[in-house]
Amino acid sequence: MLRNRLIDGVRRIKPILSWGQSLRSLSNGATSKLTTIEVDDRSGIATLSMNLPPVNTLTMELMHDLIDAINQIESNKSRGLILTSSNDKVFSAGLDLKELLNPEVDRLRLFWTRFQDLWLALHLCGLPTAAAINGHSPAAGCVLATACEYRVMLPNLFIGIHATRFSFVISKWMMNSYQSVLPRRIVERALNQGKLFATQEALDVGLVDEIACSKEEALSKCAAFIATFDKANPVARCLTKRMCREPDVRELLQDRAGDLKECVDYVTAPLFQEGLCAHLEGLKKRK
């Protein structure tokens, strides 16, 4: 049953371009103010950059553009997708916390649904995916990185889901994304501590796969990873990837409304609102 559902989904994906065909037209038409797509004509690999100053906060608008960009890259038959940042200090600072502060409930529902959509689009992307982490990647920035299949990080940065520091309890699908990369014991401890891993520590535990000295080197290492799939049939690879990742998404796909309700109930509760206010005040004092 699962294989049949996956095959039905893949039938809607157009065939992969052969070597030597130009993908330049994709880069001409797939750029917004918040994201840019650059495609290497030789490799067919698309680089998707987040471009929302100052720290690529995942606003409603940036998430919308990222989803559109992922879908465009997939449907235009690129050979792979590299996610990175145009900011040389921050990959993504995570969700827009202003959307969680004393929210209007309908707006909060839309915001959280869009975050669900973004994670599903990246986690289940049929193409090989890699993250060139050229800046700090806390919270939902880490969730985006772990949704990719490979991660290359620059030195002297940090990455991790530190939600407990601002009183947030993550959804199970976010934990599943973390746990698809790290052993459960490390995930449990890191989530409870609100731990942020330095680059070398992230490499040591397996949260990232390689360290690069520059963004250019990180992009090159990501492209080399994507090239390891050149001999695989792209449709068979897509089916196999989605079959491997189906357990990560099963509960969310079966009960998105339940996850949404849990989020709304928790975010609007006094415990979280008080914790978030304290966290935001602390951030203001650090500036």
Side-chain angles (χ1 to χ4, degrees), residues 52 55-63 92-101 103 107-108 111-112 115 139-141 166 267 272 276 280:
L52 178 58
V55 291
N56 289 325
T57 300
L58 293 177
T59 61
M60 194 95 77
E61 294 76 20
L62 177 55
M63 290 193 289
S92 171
L95 291 175
D96 184 0
L97 295 181
K98 296 191 297 294
E99 294 280 3
L100 306 182
L101 183 63
R107 171 82 179 184
L108 175 59
F111 180 77
W112 193 254
F115 184 39
F166 51 94
V267 167
F272 174 72
L276 180 59
L280 293 175

Side-chain angles (χ1 to χ4, degrees), residues 5 9 31 65 72-73 75 97 100 130 136 138 178 193 196 230:
R5 291 200 304 271
T31 298
D65 283 10
Q72 285 188 55
I73 291 168
S75 64
L97 295 181
L100 306 182
H136 298 304
Y178 217 14
Q193 292 172 337
L196 294 169
D230 283 350

Side-chain angles (χ1 to χ4, degrees), residues 167-242:
S167 304
F168 190 66
V169 178
I170 65 171
S171 291
K172 190 171 181 180
W173 53 269
M174 298 169 69
M175 182 189 71
N176 289 343
S177 187
Y178 217 14
Q179 229 165 244
S180 69
V181 175
L182 292 173
R184 174 180 169 173
R185 181 171 178 268
I186 293 177
V187 168
E188 181 178 344
R189 183 177 299 173
L191 287 176
N192 284 315
Q193 292 172 337
K195 183 174 179 61
L196 294 169
F197 296 87
T199 300
Q200 185 60 52
E201 191 177 13
L203 179 67
D204 292 342
V205 298
L207 182 52
V208 301
D209 299 283
E210 293 190 75
I211 296 175
C213 294
S214 66
K215 180 179 180 180
E216 291 71 24
E217 185 183 1
L219 292 171
S220 177
K221 287 177 179 290
C222 287
F225 166 76
I226 290 171
T228 63
F229 301 103
D230 283 350
K231 294 182 180 179
N233 177 280
V235 174
R237 185 200 178 278
C238 176
L239 289 170
T240 302
K241 173 181 176 177
R242 290 178 176 173

Side-chain angles (χ1 to χ4, degrees), residues 101-118:
L101 183 63
N102 299 316
E104 194 276 319
V105 171
D106 286 343
R107 171 82 179 184
L108 175 59
R109 288 195 183 104
L110 181 59
F111 180 77
W112 193 254
T113 299
R114 191 156 294 173
F115 184 39
Q116 292 176 337
D117 289 340
L118 173 57

